[in-house]
Amino acid sequence: MGANNGKQYGSEGKGSSSISSDISSSTDHTPTKAPKNAATAEENSTRTLSTPSPGLILPSKSSSLSSPALSSNGHETNSSSSSSAPAETVAVIHPQPGSHTRSRQSKAHHLAPIDLLPDHTLLQIFSRLSTNQLCRCARVCRRWYNLAWDPRLWVSVRLTGELLHADRAIRVLTHRLCQDTPNVCLTLETVVVNGCKRLTDRGLHVLAQCCPELRRLEVAGCYNISNGAVFEVVTRCPNLEHLNLSGCSKVTCISLTQEASLQLSPLHGQQISIHYLDMTDCFSLEDEGLRTIAAHCPRLTHLYLRRCVRLTDEALRHLALYCSSIRELSLSDCRLVGDFGLREVARLEGCLRYLSVAHCTRITDVGVRYVARYCPRLRYLNARGCEGLTDHGLGHLARSCPKLKSLDVGKCPLVSDSGLEQLAMYCQGLRRVSLRACESVSGRGLKALAANCCELQLLNVQDCEVSPEALRFVRRHCRRCVIEHTNPAFY
């Protein structure tokens, strides 16, 4: 930042802080009046310049000991203040930086190298910054303020941190972004607030009201979110395609609000445009909730229901009935799902590419045979821990799904060399195979895989009784393959 700009900011920024301070503050704040000697200058500056940024936070001396600001990549950045304010945080509104030092800037004889960069170059630099860093750049000088709030930089907002006051951060940011288009932000398409445990329904209501163009929302780990706020978002954001609710244990359903549902005629249906839905660890999700989701979200292509332990085979019947375009489906650790459920999943037929039924102990060769028969384009299957799976199931899979790329049958004690030989014969495009803790697998099956599957990239044989000689054979024939093993004699 140039020396002049730094000096310029220092003279005027003493009594203000950036929005980044607001989104890193974890305490409530109360408004106070500005000092009398600064009131006239601020009033004059706001008449000549664009609208000032609202709700900026002035942290107290003790705030440096509170939670640090977190950038989008999760690294901590120290946020300190030289203010002599009382112990509580104070909300102030200040004009753009640079409005008080025009005369000083005109007297400068030299510019810092970064000041010589054209606006479009600085915009390119700013576009690679996190939300927190971009807010800090807005404090440097008037030029950086105008560039940092360029609408093109605010297509995406990412906030992280367990102590982050996410509701307030969203309110402040959306208020600033709505200044050019009152009450509506037309640029914001992606909001990621994963792990912000203090996010509540109030924050989502603000997004629903101010961001109608929202396309991607991630609130993983925000366990204070409930159905009402989710209904509001999907109702007011008709373009929403990607929704991550993993860990939101209070969410039991996804639907339009009751008012919106009443306005729609049965002919038009009550459809939500979501394509990607992650409800991992939504423990309260039951069959009826999934039926409603399937009926309202027929465009689903990616659905993840890991550890939704209350789901049964009946729920999958509704899923196959309404969502015929699903390409990726995860039912890992849904221990009430069995062969009947896989028969319903098989009705997805040619669309299904990815299927995970790990630790679904009720699944046997019967269910796998249904999937293999009706889903010939399957690329990925995770059946780890399905102890009822045998070589017969692998044989059906190998003969019916020749395009299989990744297979995990770890902890399946009935899988042996015979099943691996069938895989090697029919699925020669295999790239990733996990056989961890398969007690019946020996060197014969591994040699068959290595000899026929030349594209193999990963082989997991941890806790398997395989000889070093067999592992060396794999290494010779599949030079790019990473071998994960627990044999100390092989190196």
Side-chain angles (χ1 to χ4, degrees):
M1 305 175 183
N4 298 324
N5 289 335
K7 185 176 180 181
Q8 173 183 337
Y9 165 67
S11 63
E12 64 179 9
K14 215 180 236 186
S16 63
S17 181
S18 67
I19 289 183
S20 61
S21 299
D22 188 15
I23 61 180
S24 64
S25 174
S26 59
T27 56
D28 294 331
H29 60 275
T30 54
T32 61
K33 296 182 180 180
K36 293 183 179 180
N37 57 356
T40 306
E42 290 189 1
E43 183 179 357
N44 292 336
S45 63
T46 54
R47 291 176 183 173
T48 56
L49 301 174
S50 62
T51 309
S53 56
L56 307 183
I57 295 301
L58 175 61
S60 64
K61 286 183 178 180
S62 60
S63 67
S64 60
L65 302 176
S66 62
S67 61
L70 295 178
S71 63
S72 61
N73 57 13
H75 293 92
E76 297 184 358
T77 57
N78 294 329
S79 176
S80 59
S81 174
S82 59
S83 169
S84 58
E88 62 179 346
T89 6
V90 181
V92 296
I93 298 178
H94 68 84
Q96 296 176 348
S99 57
H100 299 168
T101 55
R102 290 183 179 180
S103 58
R104 295 183 184 180
Q105 188 172 4
S106 62
K107 295 179 181 179
H109 298 287
H110 301 285
L111 292 175
I114 197 169
D115 292 327
L116 301 177
L117 295 177
D119 288 353
H120 67 85
T121 303
L122 280 178
L123 283 174
Q124 287 291 328
I125 297 173
F126 286 175
S127 68
R128 289 162 172 78
L129 300 181
S130 66
T131 300
N132 233 8
Q133 294 166 338
L134 196 56
C135 292
R136 293 178 183 275
C137 287
R139 302 173 57 195
V140 173
C141 63
R142 181 175 58 185
R143 182 191 178 203
W144 281 34
Y145 179 93
N146 292 328
L147 291 175
W149 289 108
D150 188 295
R152 291 170 292 183
L153 299 178
W154 293 95
V155 176
S156 174
V157 166
R158 296 177 182 270
L159 306 171
T160 56
E162 293 185 3
L163 300 180
L164 174 70
H165 201 311
D167 290 346
R168 184 170 61 199
I170 290 175
R171 184 176 67 248
V172 171
L173 286 171
T174 52
H175 184 77
R176 175 59 184 82
L177 295 173
C178 289
Q179 287 189 354
D180 295 332
T181 52
N183 301 323
V184 177
C185 176
L186 299 177
T187 60
L188 193 57
E189 296 181 357
T190 299
V191 175
V192 178
V193 284
N194 293 335
C196 296
K197 297 182 178 180
R198 299 182 67 181
L199 178 70
T200 67
D201 288 352
R202 288 178 294 179
L204 286 193
H205 281 304
V206 171
L207 286 177
Q209 294 170 4
C210 299
C211 306
E213 298 299 321
L214 198 64
R215 294 180 178 273
R216 182 186 183 109
L217 176 63
E218 297 186 20
V219 289
C222 302
Y223 48 73
N224 290 314
I225 299 300
S226 67
N227 287 342
V230 175
F231 292 0
E232 191 76 15
V233 170
V234 298
T235 300
R236 292 178 175 267
C237 304
N239 298 322
L240 189 66
E241 297 178 350
H242 184 115
L243 181 60
N244 186 344
L245 297 170
S246 57
C248 299
S249 55
K250 293 182 180 179
V251 177
T252 61
C253 183
I254 294 177
S255 175
L256 299 173
T257 59
Q258 185 175 2
E259 296 77 8
S261 299
L262 294 176
Q263 295 174 3
L264 294 175
S265 67
L267 295 177
H268 290 86
Q270 301 171 6
Q271 296 187 357
I272 299 172
S273 60
I274 293 176
H275 295 275
Y276 179 106
L277 178 61
D278 191 343
M279 297 192 70
T280 298
D281 293 323
C282 291
F283 308 115
S284 301
L285 180 64
E286 297 181 346
D287 291 352
E288 182 60 25
L290 187 58
R291 185 196 68 80
T292 304
I293 292 172
H296 285 79
C297 307
R299 302 180 185 178
L300 278 175
T301 58
H302 297 68
L303 179 60
Y304 304 95
L305 303 170
R306 306 179 188 95
R307 292 180 292 280
C308 293
V309 293
R310 299 186 181 183
L311 295 180
T312 68
D313 294 335
E314 180 66 19
L316 300 182
R317 185 175 68 85
H318 298 297
L319 192 64
L321 180 64
Y322 293 106
C323 304
S324 58
S325 300
I326 290 182
R327 296 169 58 89
E328 295 192 9
L329 175 64
S330 177
L331 301 168
S332 299
D333 294 283
C334 296
R335 298 181 183 272
L336 298 181
V337 171
D339 291 334
F340 179 82
L342 279 196
R343 189 187 74 168
E344 297 302 315
V345 169
R347 295 170 61 187
L348 296 172
E349 297 184 347
C351 290
L352 195 64
R353 302 288 192 277
Y354 172 109
L355 176 63
S356 177
V357 289
H359 305 296
C360 295
T361 53
R362 297 188 179 188
I363 288 176
T364 67
D365 291 341
V366 176
V368 173
R369 184 176 61 198
Y370 276 117
V371 172
R373 180 177 179 182
Y374 294 103
C375 303
R377 298 183 180 179
L378 195 68
R379 302 288 194 278
Y380 175 100
L381 176 63
N382 185 350
R384 181 175 61 254
C386 296
E387 298 181 355
L389 181 62
T390 71
D391 291 334
H392 294 291
L394 283 189
H396 287 292
L397 188 68
R399 289 188 294 271
S400 301
C401 302
K403 297 183 178 180
L404 198 65
K405 300 293 184 184
S406 179
L407 177 66
D408 189 342
V409 288
K411 297 184 179 180
C412 294
L414 301 180
V415 171
S416 68
D417 294 331
S418 176
L420 295 185
E421 288 173 340
Q422 295 183 70
L423 281 173
M425 183 182 301
Y426 295 102
C427 300
Q428 298 184 2
L430 275 171
R431 296 181 180 178
R432 302 172 66 90
V433 177
S434 177
L435 304 168
R436 182 169 186 173
C438 289
E439 303 168 354
S440 303
V441 170
S442 69
R444 180 166 59 91
L446 295 188
K447 290 180 179 180
L449 279 177
N452 292 276
C453 304
C454 300
E455 299 180 15
L456 202 61
Q457 298 175 359
L458 176 65
L459 178 63
N460 188 338
V461 289
Q462 293 177 336
D463 302 320
C464 294
E465 296 294 331
V466 293
S467 64
E469 179 187 357
L471 296 180
R472 293 190 186 99
F473 184 91
V474 174
R475 187 167 60 184
R476 283 198 306 271
H477 285 76
C478 304
R479 296 185 179 276
R480 297 182 180 180
C481 182
V482 175
I483 304 175
E484 298 180 358
H485 63 94
T486 51
N487 192 328
F490 174 73
Y491 55 90

